[in-house]
PDB file of all heavy atoms in Angstrom:
ATOM      1  N   VAL A 246       1.255 -21.818  -2.032  1.00  0.00           N
ATOM      2  CA  VAL A 246       1.337 -21.261  -3.442  1.00  0.00           C
ATOM      3  C   VAL A 246       2.676 -20.571  -3.428  1.00  0.00           C
ATOM      4  O   VAL A 246       3.039 -19.817  -2.507  1.00  0.00           O
ATOM      5  CB  VAL A 246       0.154 -20.266  -3.675  1.00  0.00           C
ATOM      6  CG1 VAL A 246       0.311 -19.639  -5.026  1.00  0.00           C
ATOM      7  CG2 VAL A 246      -1.142 -21.063  -3.513  1.00  0.00           C
ATOM      8  N   HIS A 247       3.369 -20.649  -4.520  1.00  0.00           N
ATOM      9  CA  HIS A 247       4.686 -19.940  -4.637  1.00  0.00           C
ATOM     10  C   HIS A 247       4.562 -18.479  -4.530  1.00  0.00           C
ATOM     11  O   HIS A 247       3.548 -17.897  -5.016  1.00  0.00           O
ATOM     12  CB  HIS A 247       5.279 -20.298  -6.008  1.00  0.00           C
ATOM     13  CG  HIS A 247       6.809 -19.832  -6.167  1.00  0.00           C
ATOM     14  ND1 HIS A 247       7.102 -18.553  -6.465  1.00  0.00           N
ATOM     15  CD2 HIS A 247       7.902 -20.530  -5.910  1.00  0.00           C
ATOM     16  CE1 HIS A 247       8.346 -18.492  -6.482  1.00  0.00           C
ATOM     17  NE2 HIS A 247       8.947 -19.692  -6.156  1.00  0.00           N
ATOM     18  N   ARG A 248       5.413 -17.843  -3.856  1.00  0.00           N
ATOM     19  CA  ARG A 248       5.297 -16.421  -3.576  1.00  0.00           C
ATOM     20  C   ARG A 248       5.308 -15.511  -4.811  1.00  0.00           C
ATOM     21  O   ARG A 248       4.964 -14.358  -4.658  1.00  0.00           O
ATOM     22  CB  ARG A 248       6.333 -15.916  -2.542  1.00  0.00           C
ATOM     23  CG  ARG A 248       7.708 -15.958  -3.011  1.00  0.00           C
ATOM     24  CD  ARG A 248       8.660 -15.609  -1.953  1.00  0.00           C
ATOM     25  NE  ARG A 248      10.001 -15.437  -2.393  1.00  0.00           N
ATOM     26  CZ  ARG A 248      11.051 -15.027  -1.650  1.00  0.00           C
ATOM     27  NH1 ARG A 248      10.839 -14.941  -0.415  1.00  0.00           N
ATOM     28  NH2 ARG A 248      12.199 -14.850  -2.211  1.00  0.00           N
ATOM     29  N   LEU A 249       5.765 -16.031  -5.935  1.00  0.00           N
ATOM     30  CA  LEU A 249       5.609 -15.200  -7.174  1.00  0.00           C
ATOM     31  C   LEU A 249       4.363 -15.381  -7.930  1.00  0.00           C
ATOM     32  O   LEU A 249       4.040 -14.651  -8.773  1.00  0.00           O
ATOM     33  CB  LEU A 249       6.949 -15.421  -8.014  1.00  0.00           C
ATOM     34  CG  LEU A 249       8.274 -15.060  -7.444  1.00  0.00           C
ATOM     35  CD1 LEU A 249       9.434 -15.392  -8.411  1.00  0.00           C
ATOM     36  CD2 LEU A 249       8.284 -13.585  -7.036  1.00  0.00           C
ATOM     37  N   VAL A 250       3.683 -16.528  -7.647  1.00  0.00           N
ATOM     38  CA  VAL A 250       2.440 -16.858  -8.319  1.00  0.00           C
ATOM     39  C   VAL A 250       1.282 -16.281  -7.453  1.00  0.00           C
ATOM     40  O   VAL A 250       0.268 -15.804  -8.056  1.00  0.00           O
ATOM     41  CB  VAL A 250       2.317 -18.387  -8.452  1.00  0.00           C
ATOM     42  CG1 VAL A 250       0.927 -18.713  -9.062  1.00  0.00           C
ATOM     43  CG2 VAL A 250       3.416 -18.954  -9.378  1.00  0.00           C
ATOM     44  N   ALA A 251       1.340 -16.313  -6.193  1.00  0.00           N
ATOM     45  CA  ALA A 251       0.226 -15.837  -5.278  1.00  0.00           C
ATOM     46  C   ALA A 251      -0.313 -14.487  -5.665  1.00  0.00           C
ATOM     47  O   ALA A 251      -1.519 -14.293  -5.776  1.00  0.00           O
ATOM     48  CB  ALA A 251       0.724 -15.873  -3.869  1.00  0.00           C
ATOM     49  N   PRO A 252       0.542 -13.465  -5.922  1.00  0.00           N
ATOM     50  CA  PRO A 252      -0.065 -12.050  -6.261  1.00  0.00           C
ATOM     51  C   PRO A 252      -0.915 -12.163  -7.514  1.00  0.00           C
ATOM     52  O   PRO A 252      -1.875 -11.444  -7.661  1.00  0.00           O
ATOM     53  CB  PRO A 252       1.180 -11.285  -6.488  1.00  0.00           C
ATOM     54  CG  PRO A 252       2.263 -11.913  -5.629  1.00  0.00           C
ATOM     55  CD  PRO A 252       1.968 -13.314  -5.801  1.00  0.00           C
ATOM     56  N   VAL A 253      -0.583 -12.916  -8.450  1.00  0.00           N
ATOM     57  CA  VAL A 253      -1.329 -13.034  -9.789  1.00  0.00           C
ATOM     58  C   VAL A 253      -2.717 -13.638  -9.430  1.00  0.00           C
ATOM     59  O   VAL A 253      -3.734 -13.159  -9.875  1.00  0.00           O
ATOM     60  CB  VAL A 253      -0.636 -13.926 -10.776  1.00  0.00           C
ATOM     61  CG1 VAL A 253      -1.514 -14.089 -12.009  1.00  0.00           C
ATOM     62  CG2 VAL A 253       0.756 -13.259 -11.105  1.00  0.00           C
ATOM     63  N   ILE A 254      -2.746 -14.629  -8.599  1.00  0.00           N
ATOM     64  CA  ILE A 254      -4.061 -15.215  -8.220  1.00  0.00           C
ATOM     65  C   ILE A 254      -4.891 -14.280  -7.437  1.00  0.00           C
ATOM     66  O   ILE A 254      -6.066 -14.064  -7.685  1.00  0.00           O
ATOM     67  CB  ILE A 254      -3.793 -16.568  -7.360  1.00  0.00           C
ATOM     68  CG1 ILE A 254      -3.162 -17.554  -8.176  1.00  0.00           C
ATOM     69  CG2 ILE A 254      -5.108 -17.037  -6.766  1.00  0.00           C
ATOM     70  CD1 ILE A 254      -2.653 -18.763  -7.373  1.00  0.00           C
ATOM     71  N   VAL A 255      -4.308 -13.594  -6.501  1.00  0.00           N
ATOM     72  CA  VAL A 255      -5.005 -12.638  -5.638  1.00  0.00           C
ATOM     73  C   VAL A 255      -5.535 -11.502  -6.487  1.00  0.00           C
ATOM     74  O   VAL A 255      -6.700 -11.090  -6.361  1.00  0.00           O
ATOM     75  CB  VAL A 255      -4.100 -12.128  -4.523  1.00  0.00           C
ATOM     76  CG1 VAL A 255      -4.651 -11.032  -3.765  1.00  0.00           C
ATOM     77  CG2 VAL A 255      -3.719 -13.275  -3.575  1.00  0.00           C
ATOM     78  N   MET A 256      -4.684 -10.858  -7.256  1.00  0.00           N
ATOM     79  CA  MET A 256      -5.161  -9.653  -8.093  1.00  0.00           C
ATOM     80  C   MET A 256      -6.291 -10.006  -9.023  1.00  0.00           C
ATOM     81  O   MET A 256      -7.307  -9.296  -9.113  1.00  0.00           O
ATOM     82  CB  MET A 256      -3.976  -9.058  -8.789  1.00  0.00           C
ATOM     83  CG  MET A 256      -2.928  -8.428  -7.975  1.00  0.00           C
ATOM     84  SD  MET A 256      -1.498  -7.888  -8.998  1.00  0.00           S
ATOM     85  CE  MET A 256      -0.328  -7.609  -7.778  1.00  0.00           C
ATOM     86  N   THR A 257      -6.166 -11.160  -9.588  1.00  0.00           N
ATOM     87  CA  THR A 257      -7.262 -11.601 -10.532  1.00  0.00           C
ATOM     88  C   THR A 257      -8.518 -11.776  -9.830  1.00  0.00           C
ATOM     89  O   THR A 257      -9.704 -11.369 -10.264  1.00  0.00           O
ATOM     90  CB  THR A 257      -6.807 -12.982 -11.284  1.00  0.00           C
ATOM     91  OG1 THR A 257      -5.582 -12.673 -11.942  1.00  0.00           O
ATOM     92  CG2 THR A 257      -7.878 -13.374 -12.217  1.00  0.00           C
ATOM     93  N   THR A 258      -8.520 -12.433  -8.661  1.00  0.00           N
ATOM     94  CA  THR A 258      -9.735 -12.710  -7.848  1.00  0.00           C
ATOM     95  C   THR A 258     -10.376 -11.426  -7.343  1.00  0.00           C
ATOM     96  O   THR A 258     -11.601 -11.311  -7.429  1.00  0.00           O
ATOM     97  CB  THR A 258      -9.315 -13.656  -6.694  1.00  0.00           C
ATOM     98  OG1 THR A 258      -8.766 -14.821  -7.044  1.00  0.00           O
ATOM     99  CG2 THR A 258     -10.537 -13.953  -5.862  1.00  0.00           C
TER     100      THR A 258
END
Side-chain angles (χ1 to χ4, degrees):
V246 176
H247 191 277
R248 68 184 192 179
L249 297 180
V250 175
V253 176
I254 294 168
V255 170
M256 290 176 198
T257 302
T258 303

